[in-house]
């Protein structure tokens, strides 16, 4: 077949067969052409050079022991995609006879061999004699990978030796596992706390991620992934991700490595003091709600707490979830900052404004309101006037008709009532209301039916030195000033008589004094008395204070 008519598949087959023929158990002498950080280029006397891994050029101290011009012994393992021979430095000698094989078997020594072919159940290996390598002991799983091993030099260990039947079985996997263990131990020994390393996310769990650091796993706990709150590791990472992490702790006794991702950036709480101040308005998102308040995320890793008492101006909140929900955006006021304890106190109600600030303007004394009853107590009823504002109607200000034992005799929660503002105490946040003050009284009706100047009849119910209290209607009282009578000028004859009677009066008083009896003041005629009916005239009436002022009719 001419080269022009050869197919690509045939050429590839020829290439692979040539590589197998060139690869062999015998060591070759080669001259080092160049040494790089990745490989050693070696002239082995064939059409193409070969490459030796740079790791094979290091001595026990990790120093390069090979230099250009050196002659070294290598074996051919195969070829790479570019046609270069893949070389392996001869490090392990092959047994030369059966006694060497018996010693290697007894001492469990690692020996070198070249895979010579694929057979049922495994591979054949030339270790000086023909040996069998079971597929389960080959260190590979796929059939294609086993076929690629043909012609390669491997290291293995004899696990069965029968000199009589010349039956030899080798194990490559155990050598690979030991090499991997040594590599992992080397990586583990080189790890130091505080150092940053590269790794690949191998698996995710509910509590974190396992990161492959080069044959050894470290645990990146979910709490060390971000300064912010994370629900699950899958929200941040995916399997296979290449990440840079910081080694937080190395437990050499238990071979455990703790890693941190968030530690690569500054702790946001270290900057809080300069970013948040008391009285500052901030925006955030409610991250979670508890029985005692709501946490608000201000930035990744920084949360503030709105205590249940700072959620609303209302008198009482049963639970914070009645006011805010997780995921809700809110504006709050910074009440306090404690960077050392990582605490920020927030207030939601303060950001809304204090409803008591202008209470006297909104509800002046004398104003009439209509609002629902929100609570009943033995001493009165509470009425909601607005967000965070309640007024109290004392039980004595509910009704004029009867004396109540409890407000629930006439009121119920949710019932709308009309009341008048009686008093405001802004400092104590109290508003006193009254309902009975809006009910018309007998005095209101009397004032509505009369006018100043009207003549009326009244009964005196109380007599004082300068005024009278007069009942002008059923339960309607009025006041009347007692006019002062002018003194009479005594005539000459009256003066003489008075002088004459003075001696008589003195003698009479002296006799009475001695006998222990004095003249009674009631012996003098009274001008006004309780129960006396008199005629009066209305001077003035004040509807607001319900006061009526009278004067005696002529």
């Amino acid at each position: 077949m001419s080269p022009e008519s050869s197919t690509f598949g045939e050429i590839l087959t020829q290439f692979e067969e040539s590589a197998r023929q060139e690869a062999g158990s015998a060591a070759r002498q080669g001259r080092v052409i160049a040494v790089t950080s990745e490989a050693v280029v070696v002239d082995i006397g064939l059409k193409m050079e070969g490459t030796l891994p740079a790791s094979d050029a290091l001595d026990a101290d990790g120093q390069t022991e090979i230099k250009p011009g050196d002659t070294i012994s290598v074996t051919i393992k195969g070829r790479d995609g570019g046609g270069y021979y893949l070389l392996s430095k001869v490090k392990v000698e092959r047994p030369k006879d059966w006694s060497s094989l018996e010693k290697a078997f007894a001492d469990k020594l690692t020996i070198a061999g070249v895979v010579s072919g694929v057979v049922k159940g495994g591979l054949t290996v030339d270790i000086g004699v023909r040996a069998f390598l079971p597929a389960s002991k080959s260190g590979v799983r796929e059939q294609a990978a086993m076929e690629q091993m043909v012609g390669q030099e491997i290291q293995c260990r004899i696990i069965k030796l029968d000199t009589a039947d010349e039956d030899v079985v080798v194990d490559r996997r155990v050598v690979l596992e030991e090499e991997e263990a040594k590599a992992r131990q080397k990586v583990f020994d080189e790890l130091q706390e505080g150092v940053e390393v590269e790794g690949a996310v191998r698996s995710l769990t509910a509590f974190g991620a396992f990161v492959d650091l080069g044959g050894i796993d470290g645990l990146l706990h979910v709490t060390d992934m971000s300064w912010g709150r994370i629900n699950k590791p899958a929200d941040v990472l995916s399997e296979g991700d290449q990440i840079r992490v910081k080694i937080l702790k190395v437990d050499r006794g238990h071979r455990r490595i703790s890693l941190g991702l968030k530690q690569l950036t500054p702790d946001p709480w270290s900057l809080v003091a300069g970013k948040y101040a008391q009285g500052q308005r901030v925006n955030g998102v409610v991250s979670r709600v508890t029985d005692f308040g709501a946490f608000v995320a201000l930035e990744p890793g920084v949360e503030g707490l709105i205590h249940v008492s700072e959620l609303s101006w209302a008198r009482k909140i049963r639970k914070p979830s009645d006011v805010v929900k997780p995921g809700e955006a809110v504006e709050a006021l910074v009440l306090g900052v404690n960077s050392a304890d990582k605490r920020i106190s927030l207030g939601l109600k303060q950001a809304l404004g204090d409803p008591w600030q202008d209470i006297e303007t909104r509800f002046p004394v004398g104003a009439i309101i209509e609002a629902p009853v929100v609570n009943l107590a033995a001493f009165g009823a509470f009425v909601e006037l607005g967000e965070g504002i309640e007024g109290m109607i004392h039980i004595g200000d509910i009704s004029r008709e009867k004396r109540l034992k409890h407000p629930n005799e006439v009121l119920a929660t949710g019932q709308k009532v009309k009341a008048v503002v009686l008093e405001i105490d802004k400092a104590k946040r109290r508003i006193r209301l009254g309902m009975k003050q809006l009910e018309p009284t007998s005095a209101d009706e009397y004032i509505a039916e009369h006018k100043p100047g009207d003549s009326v009849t009244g009964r005196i119910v109380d007599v004082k030195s300068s005024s009278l209290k007069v009942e002008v209607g059923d339960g309607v009282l009025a006041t009347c000033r007692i006019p002062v009578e002018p003194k009479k000028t005594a005539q000459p004859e009256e003066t003489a008589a008075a002088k004459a009677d003075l001696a008589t009066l003195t003698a009479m008083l002296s006799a009475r004094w001695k006998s222990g009896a004095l003249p009674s003041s009631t012996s003098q005629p009274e001008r006004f008395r309780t129960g006396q009916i008199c005629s009066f005239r209305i001077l003035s009436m004040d509807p607001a204070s319900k006061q009526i002022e009278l004067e005696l009719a002529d």
Side-chain angles (χ1 to χ4, degrees):
M1 181 182 293
S2 63
E4 290 80 5
S5 61
S6 298
T7 65
F8 176 77
E10 292 170 342
I11 294 173
L12 180 61
T13 301
Q14 292 175 7
F15 174 80
E16 292 176 345
E17 181 62 27
S18 174
R20 290 191 184 97
Q21 292 175 356
E22 292 166 346
S25 60
R28 292 175 179 271
Q29 296 296 313
R31 184 175 61 85
V32 177
I33 299 174
V35 179
T36 68
S37 59
E38 297 180 354
V40 177
V41 182
V42 183
D43 180 3
I44 56 175
L46 298 176
K47 293 181 180 180
M48 297 291 291
E49 289 81 11
T51 60
L52 182 71
S55 59
D56 287 353
L58 303 179
D59 59 16
D61 297 327
Q63 303 297 321
T64 302
E65 62 177 1
I66 298 176
K67 60 184 182 296
D70 289 351
T71 299
I72 59 175
S73 295
V74 295
T75 58
I76 299 174
K77 299 166 58 178
R79 290 197 185 191
D80 62 13
Y84 287 92
Y85 290 98
L86 298 174
L87 306 178
S88 172
K89 188 179 178 183
V90 176
K91 296 180 181 179
V92 181
E93 297 293 337
R94 295 188 199 175
K96 297 178 181 179
D97 50 32
W98 281 100
S99 62
S100 298
L101 291 174
E102 289 175 346
K103 178 175 176 54
F105 175 61
D107 296 342
K108 297 182 179 180
L109 299 178
T110 299
I111 61 176
V114 175
V115 179
S116 56
V118 179
V119 295
K120 183 178 179 181
L123 302 164
T124 57
V125 182
D126 181 1
I127 59 172
V129 297
R130 187 174 182 272
F132 175 63
L133 174 61
S136 61
K137 303 294 184 180
S138 66
V140 296
R141 296 182 179 180
E142 303 295 332
Q143 181 68 23
M146 292 178 62
E147 292 176 355
Q148 291 176 2
M149 289 177 61
V150 176
Q152 294 185 16
E153 182 186 65
I154 64 170
Q155 294 181 11
C156 56
R157 190 169 294 165
I158 300 174
I159 58 175
K160 180 181 179 182
L161 179 64
D162 188 341
T163 56
D165 295 335
E166 295 186 359
D167 183 12
V168 183
V169 180
V170 295
D171 185 347
R172 176 176 178 253
R173 189 182 68 185
V174 66
V175 177
L176 294 177
E177 289 175 349
E178 287 179 357
E179 290 178 351
E180 290 176 0
K182 290 178 182 178
R184 288 195 297 270
Q185 184 62 44
K186 183 179 180 181
V187 172
F188 185 79
D189 292 340
E190 292 175 350
L191 293 177
Q192 298 295 327
E193 294 181 1
V195 176
E196 296 180 14
V197 294
E198 299 284 344
V201 178
R202 187 175 62 81
S203 62
L204 297 175
T205 67
F207 55 84
F210 287 98
V211 181
D212 183 0
L213 303 178
I216 188 166
D217 285 351
L219 173 62
L220 174 59
H221 197 271
V222 64
T223 57
D224 290 312
M225 290 183 179
S226 173
W227 292 111
R229 189 174 297 278
I230 297 176
N231 292 325
K232 56 183 183 297
D235 293 339
V236 180
L237 299 173
S238 299
E239 291 185 6
D241 285 352
Q242 293 289 329
I243 59 174
R244 189 170 185 81
V245 291
K246 188 173 185 178
I247 299 176
L248 303 181
K249 185 178 180 181
V250 178
D251 185 345
R252 303 194 184 280
H254 295 86
R255 298 185 64 84
R256 294 174 183 171
I257 304 170
S258 299
L259 306 175
L261 183 61
K262 71 180 183 182
Q263 286 79 4
L264 298 180
T265 58
D267 184 350
W269 278 98
S270 63
L271 309 174
V272 160
K275 296 176 65 175
Y276 301 96
Q278 185 175 355
Q280 178 182 347
R281 284 181 176 268
V282 293
N283 292 290
V285 176
V286 177
S287 58
R288 54 197 173 104
V289 178
T290 67
D291 292 337
F292 56 84
F295 287 91
V296 178
L298 302 178
E299 60 179 85
V302 178
E303 287 185 338
L305 171 64
I306 306 177
H307 192 267
V308 62
S309 61
E310 307 298 345
L311 283 170
S312 173
W313 291 107
R315 177 181 291 271
K316 190 175 182 180
I317 297 176
R318 292 184 178 179
K319 50 186 178 179
S321 57
D322 292 338
V323 182
V324 292
K325 298 288 189 297
E328 182 180 349
V330 296
E331 183 182 35
L333 209 67
V334 177
L335 304 181
V337 178
N338 187 335
S339 300
D341 295 336
K342 294 187 177 183
R343 293 179 181 176
I344 296 180
S345 300
L346 302 176
L348 182 64
K349 67 182 184 182
Q350 290 83 353
L352 301 175
D354 188 354
W356 286 84
Q357 190 65 34
D358 57 350
I359 194 69
E360 291 151 336
T361 303
R362 296 170 60 192
F363 301 101
V365 174
I368 298 175
I369 59 92
E370 185 174 2
V373 175
V374 293
N375 190 26
L376 294 176
F379 55 85
F382 290 93
V383 177
E384 184 179 4
L385 302 180
E387 177 66 24
I389 302 177
E390 289 184 358
M392 195 271 286
I393 306 174
H394 192 271
I395 189 170
D397 291 318
I398 293 178
S399 175
R400 294 183 184 274
E401 296 181 359
K402 61 178 180 178
R403 186 180 182 86
L404 303 177
K405 293 182 179 180
H406 196 281
N408 60 14
E409 296 179 29
V410 293
L411 297 177
T413 302
Q415 177 183 346
K416 276 195 172 183
V417 296
K418 277 188 177 182
V420 61
V421 178
L422 302 178
E423 181 184 352
I424 294 177
D425 189 336
K426 185 176 178 180
K428 295 182 179 180
R429 295 179 179 264
R430 294 176 182 173
I431 297 180
R432 190 167 69 89
L433 306 174
M435 290 175 58
K436 74 177 185 180
Q437 287 79 0
L438 296 179
E439 299 176 3
T441 63
S442 300
D444 293 326
E445 297 175 355
Y446 188 90
I447 291 173
E449 296 172 356
H450 294 80
K451 63 182 181 300
D454 286 355
S455 296
V456 296
T457 301
R459 181 174 64 87
I460 299 174
V461 295
D462 189 20
V463 179
K464 297 186 179 301
S465 59
S466 60
S467 64
L468 304 173
K469 184 176 288 186
V470 181
E471 184 179 24
V472 293
D474 186 12
V476 181
L477 299 178
T479 302
C480 178
R481 293 183 178 276
I482 300 175
V484 179
E485 293 186 351
K487 294 183 179 180
K488 295 182 179 180
T489 304
Q491 299 296 324
E493 57 275 13
E494 293 177 349
T495 302
K499 289 180 179 180
D501 292 339
L502 181 58
T504 305
L505 181 59
T506 301
M508 182 180 63
L509 289 174
S510 178
R512 293 286 182 92
W513 179 265
K514 291 179 181 180
S515 63
L518 291 174
S520 174
S521 59
T522 57
S523 61
Q524 297 294 329
E526 295 179 352
R527 185 179 178 192
F528 300 105
R529 66 182 183 279
T530 301
Q532 182 179 351
I533 306 297
C534 299
S535 296
F536 301 92
R537 206 169 19 250
I538 298 176
L539 282 179
S540 64
M541 294 183 295
D542 185 354
S545 61
K546 298 180 176 53
Q547 292 184 354
I548 303 172
E549 190 174 354
L550 308 174
E551 65 176 356
L552 289 167
D554 296 337

